[in-house]
Amino acid sequence: MNKRKGSLFIITGPSGAGKGSVLSRVLPSLENVFLSVSATTRKPRPGEEDGVNYYFISRERFDEMVERGELLEHAEYVGNCYGTPEGPVNRRLEDGQDVILEIEVQGALIVKEKRPDAVLVFIVPPSFDILERRLRNRGTEAEEVVEKRLQKARAECAHMDDYDFIVVNDLLDDAVRDLSAIITAERCRSSKNQIKLV
Ligand code: 5GP
């Protein structure tokens, strides 16, 4: 019997939309899923670990990865480069694992072009006011960076309609339920199953 190939999920949401909180609740409840670790030229925030949150690399190393075609997609976001190493994604999908990429809009749209069966999920805050409050309360970025991230958030939300699903993160429990339901529904898709009744 042919082995089921994994599904590719792309989760996008502006800084402060709460993607991290939603994913940290959804992931432990799912089996057989791999969260891709991106490469970035951004400096680690306190508590972030190399190889866990990101591969924190130099601009030179990043450009080298791009030149060698090692990235499935890459984009610049508020002055830093981010990209998805392609090798681990392909290996996990071939192995039947579902893969989640947590990436911004430009990268998501590149992946959708390359892999039309990828499932795109956009996580939005209930309002821009709430987004601003969450970003400032996080306190991890300088004022100038917060302003840039807010502008970026507005631009990103304009692409919401390019996504297959939208999850509003007002109450965390509801957003967790919705994202879990989307992943479960994709796993049940008839074209993804090779069930033979005997
Ligand atoms: P942060 O600096 O807050 O960790 O991430 C900034 C933005 O970059 C977020 O929207 C995040 O989803 C996005 N991002 C993280 N990794 C990647 C990646 O590999 N590719 C792309 N295109 N965006 C990424």
Side-chain angles (χ1 to χ4, degrees), residues 1-191:
M1 193 175 93
N2 284 339
K3 214 159 94 182
R4 170 194 179 272
K5 257 187 82 171
S7 303
L8 182 59
F9 294 92
I10 300 177
I11 314 288
T12 299
S15 291
K19 289 170 304 233
S21 311
V22 178
L23 280 173
S24 68
R25 287 266 307 275
V26 170
L27 287 174
S29 70
L30 294 171
E31 279 180 17
N32 215 25
V33 66
F34 168 70
L35 178 64
S36 161
V37 180
S38 296
T40 183
T41 61
R42 165 167 83 59
K43 297 279 166 282
R45 297 189 184 120
E48 285 185 331
E49 271 183 65
D50 187 43
V52 177
N53 304 91
Y54 283 105
Y55 296 106
F56 294 100
I57 60 174
S58 65
R59 180 62 198 249
E60 291 69 36
R61 173 78 187 108
F62 193 93
D63 291 344
E64 202 177 280
M65 290 181 87
V66 173
E67 265 167 43
R68 290 189 185 167
E70 291 173 9
L71 299 177
L72 172 60
E73 60 71 40
H74 62 97
E76 204 178 310
Y77 190 92
V78 192
N80 290 301
C81 300
Y82 297 82
T84 304
E86 186 160 14
V89 171
N90 289 344
R91 281 196 293 279
R92 303 287 181 145
L93 290 173
E94 284 300 326
D95 216 32
Q97 265 190 298
D98 291 336
V99 173
I100 297 187
L101 311 183
E102 197 245 276
I103 63 177
E104 52 68 68
V105 169
Q106 300 165 65
L109 298 179
I110 294 170
V111 178
K112 187 71 180 175
E113 283 245 349
K114 289 187 171 175
R115 319 245 171 139
D117 59 351
V119 179
L120 269 60
V121 184
F122 198 93
I123 300 189
V124 271
S127 71
F128 284 115
D129 278 354
I130 291 177
L131 183 78
E132 182 165 356
R133 223 176 304 144
R134 286 181 186 165
L135 264 182
R136 291 194 194 286
N137 287 345
R138 195 155 86 176
T140 51
E141 255 90 22
E143 174 59 27
E144 188 196 310
V145 176
V146 170
E147 284 301 329
K148 282 194 184 148
R149 283 183 177 247
L150 282 170
Q151 276 174 25
K152 190 84 181 170
R154 287 183 184 274
E156 285 199 299
C157 287
H159 285 281
M160 221 166 10
D161 294 343
D162 295 326
Y163 280 65
D164 300 305
F165 296 97
I166 297 172
V167 170
V168 180
N169 183 19
D170 187 358
L171 295 177
L172 184 60
D173 281 349
D174 292 349
V176 168
R177 181 203 56 210
D178 290 353
L179 182 59
S180 301
I182 292 165
I183 294 173
T184 304
E186 186 61 24
R187 286 179 165 185
C188 294
R189 196 181 279 281
S190 56
S191 59

